[in-house]
Structure formats: C-alpha cells, structure tokens
Amino acid sequence: RNMENKELRKIVEEVVGVMKKSIPCFFVKNKKVKIPLKDVLYEQKEASSSPKFVMVTRESGIPLLGHIAFGILDRGSNLLQVRATTLCNMNCSFCSTDGGPYSKWHKTNYLVDVDYLADEVENIAKIKGDGLIIFLDSVGEPMSYPHFVDLVRKLRKIPEISEIVVITNGTFLTKEKIDQLQEAGLTR
C-alpha cells in the first residue's frame, strides 16, 4: 500500500538515519560524491518522477512470495533468498537493477516489516525442514534496511536454519556493526 505522507516521512527518516550514520557520502561513476544521502533521498521523494516508498506489512495484504524485488524467493533448494528492502545507497554502473539514489528505473522502493518477514520465513522453514540456508540479498543494498541486525537475530531463532549469509557492498560495515551481526547470528 502507498503510505500516508506522515507515516512515509517517518520511514524515510529512519532509513536515512541508518544510512547517514553509516556513510557520509556515496559513489557515482567511481567518483566520491559529498552530498549527504539524506538530501538525495528527500530530493527524489519530492520530485515528480521520484520513487514511491511502500511499507509491506501483514496488514497491507501484499504477499511475500511471488515478487522478485522483495520478500522471499524459494528456488526449490535448501536456500531461501530473503529481501527486506529495495533501497540502495550507491549507483554502480554495472548494476543490473539500476538501484540507488539516481536510479532511472526504480519507481517504487519497498521496506518489509521485520516481524512479517521473519514470521513468513519461519512458516516456510517448517515446511522445508532442517539445513536451510538464508541468503540475505536485495535488488539494492540489504544492509540499508533499518532493522537488519534485528532481522538476523529473529531468523537465527528459527531452528531449521543452519546458515544466514549476506551479500553486501560493504559500505555500512563498521567494527561495531560487524560485532552486532556476529552476535545476532550472521554466519557469513
């Protein structure tokens, strides 16, 4: 569902807060750009062609299976791709999804409620059984998700899960964040 302006502003501010604390700048065409990400996101949001932000909650009625950009992808193996967001803090020239602050094609960005996502992964894990690998990825940057550490912690509590793996551009990693992720149960 499209969010009310007040609710949307709160989510955007939360995401921007996470990004702002993690990196003071980002890269465009291999050049360091010293524009605070907060300003870029607000400029995009307020422009007429800006992406919309959609919060995917249990109440929204949006299922987590069946969408390639967010939610849960089951490719018929012991690995589940889990995508909590479509946000990205970079504009890599090689990106096949054209994510990032200057995206020409991402018209909508999604943030999935952490409890909804963890509960649905748990439901699928019960069906798939032991030895499940969770692959945290995104069509953006998985660690731009404001509840990333909490998501890892919730997933680690699911007994059928043997590994939790992330693929990241690394820009959000600090010593403190790495310690938090290790404590939460990230495998690699």
Side-chain angles (χ1 to χ4, degrees), residues 22 42 68 91 96 100 102 105 114 135 141 161 169-170 177 185 187:
S22 301
Y42 280 114
I68 194 86
N91 281 91
S96 64
Y102 292 122
W105 303 106
V114 67
F135 186 68
E141 167 51 42
I161 294 175
N169 63 29
K177 179 68 75 176
T187 309

Side-chain angles (χ1 to χ4, degrees), residues 130-145:
D130 292 340
L132 195 58
I133 299 169
I134 300 299
F135 186 68
L136 299 168
D137 72 343
S138 176
V139 295
E141 167 51 42
M143 293 184 74
S144 69
Y145 183 61

